Amino acid sequence: MLTALWSGLGGKVADRWAALLVSPALAFWLGGALAWALGRSGPDGHEAWWRRLGGVWTRSFGTLPPATQAVAVVVGLLAVAASARLAEALTFGVLRTLEGYWPHWAGPARTALTSLRAGRIDRRTARWRELARRRDQLTPPEYAEYTALNAWRTSVPPAPRDRMPTALGDVLRAAESRPRHRYGLDAVVCWPRLWLTMPDQARTEVATARARVDEGARLWLWSLLFALWTVFSWWALPVAAVGMLVGYRMALAAAAGYGQLLQTCFDLYRGSLYEGLGWSQPADPVQEFTAGRSLTALLERGPDLHPPSGETP
């Protein structure tokens, strides 16, 4: 029994260390060491920084006893693991920033970017409506454009008031707002309850999709921090810029899939939400919309405990 237990723990630890070895955290610290070596290399170019690293190894690390070297490696890996864990803790805040949830003092910038994006959204929406009116008479290029615009509409909140200053914010806000427009259910309020009523397979799919969004946000964060190594070597800045762009695009692509799964969960499992809360789900769509708004109000504010007019509690 104990042997099996320790074998399982060893497998989990090995998996975590293997993931750490390919993590952005390790790339960040190794990139910093490389930037430091390149920044202190002489006019001999690439050969000089290799000699620089070799000299550091020979003079410091290579002269240590094997046991001390092992301890130093473990301490270094623990430091990398700690920084990776800190980045995980900051992921939610970074993702909110990328969505466009900025502090009050950034309100003017948020308003300006939202208005700028609104013009493009309105133009594309008008074009989609024009193509939709004559859908049966579209030429092949126009039909391809219509198909692309039809898919794009799922990444934009239905109501202009829900729009965000970034594309990532729009994608996630659209996923959150569509259950409210379709079923009267506020996704932010109802999601924790719906999550507990969903089958394990659905929860696994959603969790996996959300993890991909978080991975993109963490890559963006590590890339932003990588710009710190510019104090050693100039090339760290373009590397950081490319990494931030890649991380944002990864988060944006993953958010599209996550948003579709979120909407699908409300499409398929909202009945279990009603059942779990002891409510009956109306069959009529109009009545269901009204019931959804009432259910959202109950979950958000609790039951209305005010006594009728003329009575005392």
Side-chain angles (χ1 to χ4, degrees), residues 222-252:
W222 281 117
S223 300
L224 175 65
L225 295 176
F226 197 87
L228 295 174
W229 303 133
T230 307
V231 299
F232 298 131
S233 295
W234 65 268
W235 55 263
L237 186 59
V239 170
V242 172
M244 291 172 66
L245 178 62
V246 172
Y248 183 81
R249 298 300 299 181
M250 285 177 55
L252 184 60

Side-chain angles (χ1 to χ4, degrees), residues 51-308:
R51 288 201 303 268
R52 176 75 180 178
L53 289 179
V56 171
W57 176 275
T58 302
R59 291 191 304 271
S60 57
F61 193 81
T63 59
L64 297 175
T68 306
Q69 290 182 3
V71 171
V73 170
V74 171
V75 170
L77 290 176
L78 289 176
V80 174
S83 64
R85 185 67 186 88
L86 178 61
E88 291 178 4
L90 296 175
T91 298
F92 179 74
V94 171
L95 187 60
R96 297 282 288 182
T97 301
L98 294 177
E99 289 181 65
Y101 294 99
W102 301 335
H104 179 72
W105 54 264
R110 174 190 168 96
T111 302
L113 286 175
T114 303
S115 300
L116 184 63
R117 298 191 71 253
R120 180 172 178 269
I121 292 173
D122 292 340
R123 288 191 298 272
R124 298 192 73 180
T125 301
R127 177 59 175 169
W128 172 82
R129 288 173 179 168
E130 176 191 348
L131 295 175
R133 282 194 298 267
R134 50 188 183 89
R135 181 170 46 192
D136 296 334
Q137 291 82 33
L138 296 177
T139 63
E142 289 178 330
Y143 186 77
E145 181 184 5
Y146 169 76
T147 303
L149 289 174
N150 208 38
W152 163 80
R153 290 181 67 247
T154 62
S155 65
V156 179
R161 66 178 183 179
D162 291 328
R163 292 174 184 170
M164 300 293 291
T166 68
L168 179 61
D170 269 348
V171 170
L172 294 177
R173 179 65 74 87
E176 294 171 356
S177 61
R178 290 190 182 278
R180 184 176 73 247
H181 290 282
R182 291 186 180 182
Y183 310 118
L185 297 171
D186 189 296
V188 176
V189 175
C190 298
W191 179 250
R193 288 87 173 177
L194 180 64
W195 175 264
L196 295 178
T197 66
M198 289 162 45
D200 291 340
Q201 182 179 0
R203 288 194 289 183
T204 300
E205 292 291 336
V206 174
T208 302
R210 179 52 190 257
R212 295 192 187 102
V213 180
D214 292 344
E215 288 173 3
R218 278 194 294 272
L219 177 58
W220 186 92
L221 172 62
W222 281 117
S223 300
L224 175 65
L225 295 176
F226 197 87
L228 295 174
W229 303 133
T230 307
V231 299
F232 298 131
S233 295
W234 65 268
W235 55 263
L237 186 59
V239 170
V242 172
M244 291 172 66
L245 178 62
V246 172
Y248 183 81
R249 298 300 299 181
M250 285 177 55
L252 184 60
Y258 171 73
Q260 292 178 358
L261 284 176
L262 182 67
Q263 176 63 62
T264 301
C265 289
F266 278 92
D267 293 338
L268 297 180
Y269 304 116
R270 67 186 188 280
S272 61
L273 174 65
Y274 279 94
E275 181 180 355
L277 293 172
W279 283 46
S280 59
Q281 179 185 359
D284 181 78
V286 176
Q287 294 179 353
E288 182 181 358
F289 181 83
T290 303
R293 295 185 61 179
S294 299
L295 181 59
T296 296
L298 173 67
L299 297 178
E300 186 176 22
R301 299 186 294 271
D304 186 2
L305 300 180
H306 292 88

